[in-house]
Amino acid sequence: QVQLVESGGGLVRAGGSLRLACTASTRTFSDYAMGWFRQAPGRERDFVAGVSRAGILTWYADSVKGRFTVSRDNTKNTVHLQMITLQSEDSAVYYCAATPGAVKQTPGEYDYWGQGTQVTVSS
């Protein structure tokens, strides 16, 4: 069992930045690829970014490339999502998720989820 807790969300003006954190309670954190997803009201949960188990490989949705950076620290069981140049379209609940093996981009392939953290970007 892996428990995930996100933090760092909030209200920010367009063009601003936020850094989300996700902390995992497991002794085998490095066994899991980590993904960040987001879900806006009335929309599906979409893949945002993912990082491989060792933190070497990363993936991004086209809409966030160049603005978001995902990273992880396996010594602290944490994964971060640095977000810059935020836009109103980035407003959503952001979730981190864990999946064994490689990064996937489909929510259904993740076994563990955090409770989510709200990001609101005002224009």
Side-chain angles (χ1 to χ4, degrees):
Q1 190 76 9
V2 178
Q3 293 185 329
L4 302 173
V5 178
E6 302 98 334
S7 61
L11 174 64
V12 64
R13 290 189 175 183
S17 302
L18 281 175
R19 187 176 190 230
L20 306 183
C22 173
T23 302
S25 60
T26 175
R27 294 183 179 181
T28 58
F29 183 62
S30 60
D31 287 350
Y32 296 90
M34 299 299 295
W36 284 97
F37 291 78
R38 66 187 181 187
Q39 188 167 20
R43 302 193 66 173
E44 295 183 348
R45 190 168 297 190
D46 293 328
F47 175 81
V48 174
V51 59
S52 63
R53 288 173 291 173
I56 296 173
L57 301 176
T58 57
W59 289 260
Y60 298 95
D62 287 343
S63 59
V64 306
K65 282 180 181 176
R67 300 188 299 122
F68 289 12
T69 303
V70 60
S71 61
R72 67 188 293 165
D73 183 343
N74 286 346
T75 67
K76 298 180 179 179
N77 280 19
T78 59
V79 59
H80 288 100
L81 185 67
Q82 177 69 50
M83 308 184 292
I84 66 171
T85 320
L86 284 161
Q87 307 164 357
S88 57
E89 307 89 85
D90 297 316
S91 295
V93 178
Y94 283 70
Y95 299 90
C96 71
T99 182
V103 169
K104 293 94 173 176
Q105 298 192 16
T106 305
E109 296 186 274
Y110 282 76
D111 295 335
Y112 303 102
W113 291 84
Q115 82 289 350
T117 185
Q118 177 72 49
V119 172
T120 303
V121 184
S122 63
S123 56

